[in-house]
């Protein structure tokens, strides 16, 4: 019997959202209500800042607030940080240097910190304005006045992840392969088809499932997980029952037990 569903956000729970990411589709809203009615916990494991996961849970009336952010870089259990794996300034700087030396034509780059700050490589990038609008809508995070290069001179920078967005998927995958080959001290993954994430070597989304099993008395067979990206592979490998969105990364589709249209269909299968 499933006791908890671990859910990704972008491309999964947030798929098809309205004006803000918290304006879920009606089907997904109904699905969350069914989880609560059947006393099944919802926990969040996302590439976003962990605060997004907590806000989702509170917004939809869940009381057990357990979430993970930065692709398993941090875990929070009802306000207490239970694991945290920072990306070093040196590793972030090395990744940026590699991409510039190889002249990869990326669209924008940003660092996200553990105090909810976004630091961009170019404050004039169109992506910056998009995030400013998102911050106004959600109230989560802020954009730093300084850019990445001066920020990385601080050896005590609290970095959750470095994200590089490319113009197309093929460029992103080529960059991921390069960084994976050249950087053994950190983990390289993708949280969207055009978005490469550089995170701590210890960070992975499955960390939340490890925590639930070792510290919250869950058994593997009591945990279901759903996602859509390459960064979700280790998470669904550790779950007792795994689901992938139909538009998922091909590597995730290979690993999932079931492929579904949306989170609602996933919940329906769990409750059958």
């Amino acid at each position: 019997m499933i006791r908890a569903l671990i859910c990704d956000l972008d491309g999964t729970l947030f798929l098809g959202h309205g004006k803000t990411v918290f304006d879920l589709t009606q089907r997904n809203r109904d699905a969350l209500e069914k989880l609560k009615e059947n006393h099944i916990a919802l926990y969040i494991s996302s590439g976003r800042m962990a605060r997004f996961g907590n806000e989702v849970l509170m917004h939809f009336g869940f009381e057990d607030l357990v979430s993970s952010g930065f692709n398993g870089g941090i875990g929070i259990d009802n306000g207490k940080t239970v694991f945290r794996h920072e990306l070093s300034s040196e590793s972030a700087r090395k990744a940026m240097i590699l991409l510039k030396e190889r002249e990869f034509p990326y669209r924008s780059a940003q660092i996200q910190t553990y105090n909810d700050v976004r630091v961009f490589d170019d404050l004039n990038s169109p992506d910056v304005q998009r995030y400013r609008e998102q911050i106004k809508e959600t109230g989560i995070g802020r954009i730093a006045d300084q850019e990445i290069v001066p920020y990385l001179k601080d050896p005590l920078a609290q970095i959750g992840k470095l994200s590089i967005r490319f113009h197309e998927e093929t460029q992103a995958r080529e960059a991921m392969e390069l960084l994976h080959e050249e950087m053994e001290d950190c983990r390289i993954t993708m949280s969207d088809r055009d978005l490469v994430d550089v995170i701590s070597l210890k960070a992975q989304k499955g960390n939340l499932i490890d925590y639930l099993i070792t510290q919250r008395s869950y058994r593997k067979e009591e945990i279901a997980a759903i996602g859509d990206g390459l960064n979700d592979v280790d998470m669904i490998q550790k779950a007792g029952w795994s689901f992938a969105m139909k538009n998922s990364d091909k590597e995730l589709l290979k690993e999932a037990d079931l492929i579904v249209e949306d989170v609602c269909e996933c919940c329906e299968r769990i409750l059958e």
Side-chain angles (χ1 to χ4, degrees), residues 2 5 220-221 223-226 236 238-243 257-258 266 269-272:
I2 296 297
L5 172 62
K220 177 178 179 178
E221 59 267 25
I223 300 173
I226 180 171
I236 70 166
K238 292 184 175 182
W241 201 4
S242 59
F243 296 82
D257 294 320
L258 291 171
C266 168
R269 298 301 299 270
I270 289 172
L271 295 170
E272 287 179 348

Side-chain angles (χ1 to χ4, degrees), residues 195-208:
L195 188 66
V196 174
D197 285 345
V198 182
I199 53 180
S200 164
L201 191 60
K202 295 181 179 180
Q204 55 180 6
K205 282 197 175 185
N207 287 346
L208 184 60

Side-chain angles (χ1 to χ4, degrees), residues 5 8 17 41 68 93 103 133-134 137 151 155 160 163 176 184 188 205 220 237 250 261 269-270:
L5 172 62
D8 172 52
H17 69 77
S68 176
R93 184 164 51 247
E103 298 183 345
E133 293 171 0
Q134 182 187 98
E137 294 170 350
Y151 179 81
S163 296
M176 181 181 69
E184 297 180 351
I188 314 298
K205 282 197 175 185
K220 177 178 179 178
Q237 286 175 334
K250 61 183 180 180
E261 291 279 344
R269 298 301 299 270
I270 289 172

Side-chain angles (χ1 to χ4, degrees), residues 182-245:
E182 298 289 338
M183 302 186 66
E184 297 180 351
D185 60 338
C186 54
R187 189 179 302 278
I188 314 298
T189 188
M190 295 177 69
S191 54
D192 203 347
R193 298 187 187 279
D194 61 351
L195 188 66
V196 174
D197 285 345
V198 182
I199 53 180
S200 164
L201 191 60
K202 295 181 179 180
Q204 55 180 6
K205 282 197 175 185
N207 287 346
L208 184 60
I209 294 179
D210 291 338
Y211 171 76
L212 293 173
I213 292 173
T214 60
Q215 303 298 320
R216 293 288 301 268
S217 301
Y218 279 92
R219 299 192 304 273
K220 177 178 179 178
E221 59 267 25
E222 296 176 321
I223 300 173
I226 180 171
D228 74 302
L230 183 64
N231 59 338
D232 293 311
V233 169
D234 67 281
M235 177 177 74
I236 70 166
Q237 286 175 334
K238 292 184 175 182
W241 201 4
S242 59
F243 296 82
M245 301 285 285

Side-chain angles (χ1 to χ4, degrees), residues 3 44 47 88 97 101 115 168 171 180 193 248 251:
R3 292 175 53 206
I44 303 297
S88 70
I97 290 173
E101 287 180 345
N115 52 354
E168 56 186 44
Q171 295 172 338
H180 180 73
R193 298 187 187 279
S248 293
E251 294 302 318

Side-chain angles (χ1 to χ4, degrees), residues 28-269:
N28 283 350
R29 286 173 177 269
D30 293 342
L32 299 191
E33 288 301 316
K34 290 178 182 178
L35 290 181
K36 288 190 292 182
E37 290 171 6
N38 287 273
H39 308 290
I40 296 175
L42 175 69
Y43 301 137
I44 303 297
S45 186
S46 170
R48 287 179 177 251
M49 300 168 180
R51 189 175 163 194
F52 276 93
N54 277 354
E55 290 291 332
V56 166
L57 296 174
M58 289 189 293
H59 188 83
F60 292 100
F62 289 89
E63 296 181 356
D64 191 11
L65 307 180
V66 179
S67 64
S68 176
F70 298 138
N71 298 314
I74 186 171
I76 300 176
D77 185 343
N78 291 283
K80 180 182 178 181
T81 299
V82 292
F83 58 82
R84 173 167 159 164
H85 308 296
E86 294 185 12
L87 176 68
S88 70
S89 297
E90 181 180 352
S91 293
R93 184 164 51 247
K94 181 179 177 181
M96 293 297 296
I97 290 173
L98 277 170
L99 293 177
K100 290 183 182 296
E101 287 180 345
R102 303 296 177 89
E103 298 183 345
F104 270 91
Y106 63 86
R107 194 174 88 189
S108 66
Q110 65 166 298
I111 281 171
Q112 295 183 36
T113 75
Y114 280 106
N115 52 354
D116 296 342
V117 177
R118 297 179 187 270
V119 187
F120 285 86
D121 67 324
D122 180 6
L123 285 170
N124 295 315
S125 166
D127 283 357
V128 174
Q129 182 56 37
R130 179 167 63 88
Y131 279 105
R132 289 192 194 280
E133 293 171 0
Q134 182 187 98
I135 289 169
K136 288 181 181 179
E137 294 170 350
T138 64
I140 299 176
R142 67 179 180 87
I143 293 176
D145 294 329
Q146 64 181 160
E147 296 180 345
I148 285 180
V149 172
Y151 179 81
L152 288 178
K153 292 179 180 179
D154 180 2
L156 301 178
Q158 301 178 49
I159 302 174
K161 70 172 183 176
L162 166 66
S163 296
I164 308 103
R165 189 172 295 280
F166 293 82
H167 296 282
E168 56 186 44
E169 182 178 354
T170 54
Q171 295 172 338
R173 291 195 177 274
E174 289 173 2
M176 181 181 69
E177 291 176 5
L178 166 68
L179 295 173
H180 180 73
E181 291 173 359
E182 298 289 338
M183 302 186 66
E184 297 180 351
D185 60 338
C186 54
R187 189 179 302 278
I188 314 298
T189 188
M190 295 177 69
S191 54
D192 203 347
R193 298 187 187 279
D194 61 351
L195 188 66
V196 174
D197 285 345
V198 182
I199 53 180
S200 164
L201 191 60
K202 295 181 179 180
Q204 55 180 6
K205 282 197 175 185
N207 287 346
L208 184 60
I209 294 179
D210 291 338
Y211 171 76
L212 293 173
I213 292 173
T214 60
Q215 303 298 320
R216 293 288 301 268
S217 301
Y218 279 92
R219 299 192 304 273
K220 177 178 179 178
E221 59 267 25
E222 296 176 321
I223 300 173
I226 180 171
D228 74 302
L230 183 64
N231 59 338
D232 293 311
V233 169
D234 67 281
M235 177 177 74
I236 70 166
Q237 286 175 334
K238 292 184 175 182
W241 201 4
S242 59
F243 296 82
M245 301 285 285
K246 71 171 186 178
N247 60 338
S248 293
D249 184 277
K250 61 183 180 180
E251 294 302 318
L252 191 72
L253 292 172
K254 293 177 184 178
E255 298 289 340
D257 294 320
L258 291 171
I259 298 171
V260 294
E261 291 279 344
D262 56 11
V263 172
C264 182
E265 184 181 351
C266 168
C267 293
E268 289 171 348
R269 298 301 299 270

